[in-house]
Amino acid sequence: DSSFREFPQHLRANDVVVVNNSRVIPARLSGQRQETGGAVEIFLVRELEPQTWEALVRPGGRLKEGARVVFGDQKLIAELLDHPGHELRRVRFQSDGPFDEVLSELGSTPLPPYIKRPAGESAKDRERYQTVYSKNPGAIAAPTAGLHFTDAVLQEVKTRASVAEVTLHVGYGTFEPVRVDDVDQHSVSSEHFAISEESAETINRARAHGGRVIVVGTTTMRALESSATDDGRIIAARGEANLTIKPGYRFRVADA
C-alpha cells in the first residue's frame, strides 16, 4: 500500500509502462432548433466521415429527419440524417470555418457525472480532464487511470523504465447502458485504436529481456489485446478494439 507518487520506485530497468495518449475532444454542443428555437444538445460519439457523426441527441425523439440545429449564431449548423428511434443519430454539420476549430470554440468537455464542477470552470476543464501525455484528439472521455500521472511522476518513470504510447479513443461503449438481464448478451461498441511500430518494438523488447509490461488502464489493455498474436507479441496495428480478452494472455493493469 502506498501513494501513486511512489509508483516509479516499483519499476525495474527492463520494464515498459504503456499509456494511452488519446485526447478528449469538446464533444458536447448546446444549440437551438432552427425552426422553433427549442434547446437541443448534441453529444458527438464517432466521426463517420468528414463532418458527419454518430451522436446522442436530446430531445432526439422530437427531431425528425432533416431537422436542423444551430450553434453560435449559425457558425455551426447540424442536420439530422435519419428518423427518430435510434439511440445514436446520424448528424451532418456545416461550419463557418474548419470544423475542428469551430468545435473547439463552441463545444464543451463532456465530464463524467461523478466529477462535480462549479459554474464557469468548463474552459479550465479542457486541460484538467486530460492526461499529461494526451496527444491524439478523438476520445469522448479520458482514459482515467492515467489522470493520476503528473509531469514529475512521468519523468521519473522514464528514468527507471521504458514508456510506450498507444492510442485508443474512448467511445460510446463506456456510457452505453446494459439493457439485458444476462450480461453475456450485452454487446459493447468497438473503439478505434492505433499502435505504432516503435511502440510495438519497445513492448516486445521488454518482454524478450524479462521485463514486465505494465499497462496503465483498461483502454490501453484493450488496444494491446486487440493487436496481440497468439504467441503474445504485439504488432503495429490500426483498427477497432473490442472488450474481449484472449484466453491465456496476461497483463498487469495499473488502474484507478
Side-chain angles (χ1 to χ4, degrees):
D1 293 330
S2 186
S3 63
F4 187 75
R5 69 173 65 92
E6 307 301 326
F7 169 64
Q9 298 181 21
H10 298 279
L11 299 175
R12 305 168 190 161
N14 287 330
D15 291 344
V16 58
V17 177
V18 190
V19 299
N20 178 10
N21 65 16
S22 179
R23 187 168 178 83
V24 183
I25 62 173
R28 193 185 302 278
L29 289 162
S30 298
Q32 299 81 38
R33 289 189 64 176
Q34 190 174 55
E35 299 85 354
T36 65
V40 177
E41 180 181 278
I42 294 182
F43 187 166
L44 304 181
V45 171
R46 184 175 65 160
E47 188 175 30
L48 302 174
E49 56 188 58
Q51 299 200 192
T52 299
W53 288 72
E54 276 187 328
L56 293 168
V57 180
R58 298 176 182 171
R62 300 179 189 174
L63 297 175
K64 298 180 180 180
E65 182 180 4
R68 292 163 71 88
V69 183
V70 298
F71 309 89
D73 273 341
Q74 303 198 35
K75 202 165 189 177
L76 183 67
I77 300 175
E79 179 183 358
L80 277 294
L81 300 181
D82 52 12
H83 292 290
H86 301 285
E87 184 172 24
L88 292 176
R89 305 288 301 273
R90 292 175 60 244
V91 183
R92 181 169 57 217
F93 291 93
Q94 300 174 23
S95 56
D96 183 11
F99 177 76
D100 289 344
E101 293 181 11
V102 175
L103 178 63
S104 180
E105 177 184 344
L106 300 179
S108 61
T109 302
L111 296 181
Y114 56 81
I115 296 181
K116 308 299 182 184
R117 308 295 296 133
E121 292 286 307
S122 59
K124 295 180 181 179
D125 287 334
R126 291 199 180 195
E127 289 303 319
R128 285 174 171 168
Y129 189 54
Q130 307 282 359
T131 62
V132 295
Y133 44 74
S134 67
K135 292 180 181 177
N136 296 325
I140 61 174
T144 51
L147 293 179
H148 303 305
F149 282 85
T150 63
D151 288 320
V153 169
L154 184 60
Q155 288 306 311
E156 189 175 355
V157 167
K158 291 179 178 179
T159 66
R160 295 173 179 268
S162 299
V163 174
E165 296 184 6
V166 303
T167 302
L168 184 139
H169 293 316
V170 182
Y172 180 55
T174 296
F175 308 97
E176 194 171 7
V178 178
R179 299 185 178 87
V180 293
D181 293 331
D182 181 0
V183 294
D184 288 337
Q185 303 303 313
H186 177 59
S187 177
V188 180
S189 301
S190 62
E191 298 165 312
H192 183 76
F193 78 95
I195 299 175
S196 68
E197 292 275 4
E198 180 183 3
S199 291
E201 182 180 341
T202 299
I203 296 166
N204 292 329
R205 183 171 58 247
R207 297 191 72 223
H209 289 84
R212 298 169 298 174
V213 180
I214 301 175
V215 182
V216 181
T218 54
T219 62
T220 315
M221 183 178 70
R222 291 202 294 277
L224 295 189
E225 194 277 335
S226 296
S227 68
T229 62
D230 290 339
D231 62 356
R233 287 181 56 82
I234 301 299
I235 59 173
R238 182 181 299 271
E240 299 296 316
N242 294 289
L243 276 174
T244 57
I245 302 297
K246 294 178 182 178
Y249 200 76
R250 301 179 64 188
F251 292 90
R252 178 184 299 271
V253 183
D255 213 332

